[in-house]
Each structure stands twice: as structure tokens, then as C-alpha cells.
Amino acid sequence: RLVGSEMCIRDRDNSSASLENHLLSVTGEISVEKMNTLFRLDKLTPDSAKVKRNTIIKNLNSKGKVKISRYQDPSDRRRVVYTVKKN
């Protein structure tokens, strides 16, 4: 029987695994808005969403199934675009 933080860890691992599987099906370019929707960050302030999004991306990249990278959109330097590739 799991208690407290063990349950949180198990749930986090399950959710990150399902997120990885979903990202594997949507490889290619993804906008910030779509990433926020995928990571369920759309209700956060832009700064909070950015910090959480970067943390999630670091965790997913360290696991090794997907590689998420970001770059500035050449047509609009203020905009960031993410690319998702299978590892």
C-alpha cells in the first residue's frame, strides 16, 4: 500500500509516461500554446507556465524517449517554437 509522497511519485511517473507516449505521436513543430495545453499549464500566468514548461521538458528530455528542443521563430523573433523528435 502506497502512502503520501509515494503516491505522488507513482502518479507523476504515470502521467509523464502517458505524456511521452502522446508526444511521440505528435512529433514535429509545436507552438507554445499547444505545449501549454498538452502540459495543462493554460491557466497559469505566462511566467509561471514558462518555468513549469521548462521543468517538464528537462524531465522528459532526461528520460530519453523524446527530445524536445526550442528555437526562436525566424519570422517573429519574439515567438518560440518547440520541436519534438523521437530519441
Side-chain angles (χ1 to χ4, degrees):
R1 183 171 172 239
L2 300 176
V3 294
S5 63
E6 293 170 334
M7 289 173 41
C8 293
I9 292 168
R10 182 202 62 203
D11 292 343
R12 185 178 56 220
D13 288 344
N14 288 341
S15 65
S16 67
S18 66
L19 187 58
E20 279 181 331
N21 291 334
H22 184 70
L23 284 170
L24 287 172
S25 67
V26 285
T27 56
E29 290 186 354
I30 298 179
S31 68
V32 171
E33 294 80 18
K34 175 105 180 188
M35 286 295 254
N36 285 345
T37 303
L38 285 172
F39 296 158
R40 297 181 183 148
L41 304 175
D42 12 18
K43 296 192 173 146
L44 297 176
T45 63
D47 288 335
S48 296
K50 180 180 178 181
V51 170
K52 277 251 197 219
R53 187 173 53 248
N54 288 337
T55 302
I56 293 169
I57 289 171
K58 274 187 199 176
N59 290 338
L60 289 172
N61 283 344
S62 69
K63 289 189 176 199
K65 281 188 181 181
V66 295
K67 174 69 176 162
I68 302 171
S69 54
R70 69 180 181 155
Y71 63 93
Q72 288 181 330
D73 188 351
S75 61
D76 184 359
R77 303 290 283 171
R78 297 169 293 176
R79 192 181 141 130
V80 174
V81 178
Y82 292 90
T83 58
V84 181
K85 298 178 184 175
K86 296 177 185 177
N87 248 358

